[in-house]
């Protein structure tokens, strides 16, 4: 098999993974409506990166990662530039005390050990909630998780995340 054939074959099998994860694009490739939203709500944003990806249904969407007033944001837009979701990275310690205690109590009750590595405040579908990413150990083993909590600290959902294995470097 020639090198070119191997490249084409590799792209055929790898494209779905890259499409779901997102491919970096230029600002010119995002819809004008999304661009105007960013100009209006994040006028002095820095470290802006634009990505095009496919959602679970195979529809195009755009993700924009940026820094604004010292905070990190991930914004998701549909193919026409309509805003779908805004994620703002936060320090878990800023979650209101009552909600924070409920969240920590949940983790202490359901994991023998855990490490939270990312907290986000998410606005999606007219609702605001917390998304907490962690690595935790339960009786079935140690895994990565995404846990979603209401603003009051009640668990909405927790999902085990598939983390692709990385090659071991010699």
């Amino acid at each position: 098999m020639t090198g070119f054939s191997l490249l084409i074959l590799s792209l055929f099998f790898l494209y779905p993974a890259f499409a779901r994860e997102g491919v970096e694009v230029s600002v010119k490739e995002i819809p004008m409506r999304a661009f105007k939203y960013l100009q209006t709500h994040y006028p002095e944003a820095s470290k802006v990166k634009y990505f095009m990806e496919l959602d679970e249904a195979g529809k195009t969407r755009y993700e924009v990662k940026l820094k604004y007033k010292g905070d990190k944001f991930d914004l998701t837009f549909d193919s026409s530039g309509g805003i779908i979701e805004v994620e703002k990275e936060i320090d878990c310690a800023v979650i209101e005390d009552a909600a924070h205690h409920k969240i920590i109590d949940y983790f202490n009750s359901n994991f023998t050990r855990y490490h939270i590595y990312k907290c986000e405040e998410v606005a999606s579908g007219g609702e605001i909630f917390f998304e907490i990413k962690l690595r935790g150990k339960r009786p079935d083993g140690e895994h990565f998780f995404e846990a979603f909590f209401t603003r009051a600290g009640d668990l909405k959902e927790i999902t085990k995340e598939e983390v692709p294995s990385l090659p071991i470097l010699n």
Side-chain angles (χ1 to χ4, degrees):
M1 196 178 275
T2 69
F4 182 73
S5 299
L6 256 163
L7 175 66
I8 297 300
L9 189 59
S10 297
L11 288 175
F12 176 75
F13 285 108
L14 294 175
Y15 176 75
F18 285 121
R20 279 191 304 277
E21 293 300 316
V23 176
E24 192 165 355
V25 296
S26 77
V27 66
K28 295 174 185 175
E29 295 180 66
I30 68 165
M32 182 55 74
R33 184 173 167 202
F35 181 73
K36 287 181 180 179
Y37 180 93
L38 293 167
Q39 283 185 314
T40 301
H41 295 19
Y42 304 92
E44 297 171 15
S46 63
K47 299 185 179 180
V48 183
K49 291 188 175 190
Y50 307 92
F51 299 88
M52 183 179 69
E53 58 191 18
L54 299 177
D55 66 12
E56 295 79 25
K59 294 183 180 175
T60 300
R61 65 182 181 188
Y62 299 90
E63 184 175 352
V64 179
K65 295 176 181 283
L66 58 88
K67 212 168 183 187
Y68 181 68
K69 295 185 177 180
D71 294 316
K72 292 180 182 177
F73 291 86
D74 285 354
L75 295 94
T76 306
F77 298 90
D78 63 24
S79 61
S80 67
I83 188 75
I84 297 172
E85 182 175 86
V86 176
E87 297 176 343
K88 177 184 176 186
E89 194 170 318
I90 61 170
D91 182 341
C92 284
V94 303
I95 297 173
E96 179 197 313
D97 281 346
H100 188 263
H101 288 299
K102 285 175 88 172
I103 292 168
I104 296 305
D105 286 346
Y106 172 82
F107 291 141
N108 287 337
S109 298
N110 291 279
F111 294 92
T112 54
R113 83 171 175 254
Y114 64 91
H115 171 72
I116 296 171
Y117 62 89
K118 192 173 195 180
C119 286
E120 296 174 319
E121 185 175 62
V122 180
S124 179
E127 183 182 9
I128 298 175
F129 54 91
F130 300 112
E131 178 179 346
I132 300 176
K133 297 179 182 191
L134 67 142
R135 181 176 180 178
K137 184 173 183 177
R138 302 190 305 192
D140 66 338
E142 194 164 341
H143 307 281
F144 288 92
F145 297 89
E146 284 186 343
F148 302 89
F149 293 89
T150 66
R151 294 200 40 89
D154 298 316
L155 179 71
K156 291 174 51 147
E157 178 184 13
I158 186 164
T159 58
K160 198 183 299 184
E161 292 300 300
E162 295 298 323
V163 178
S165 60
L166 298 174
I168 296 173
L169 301 175
N170 293 328

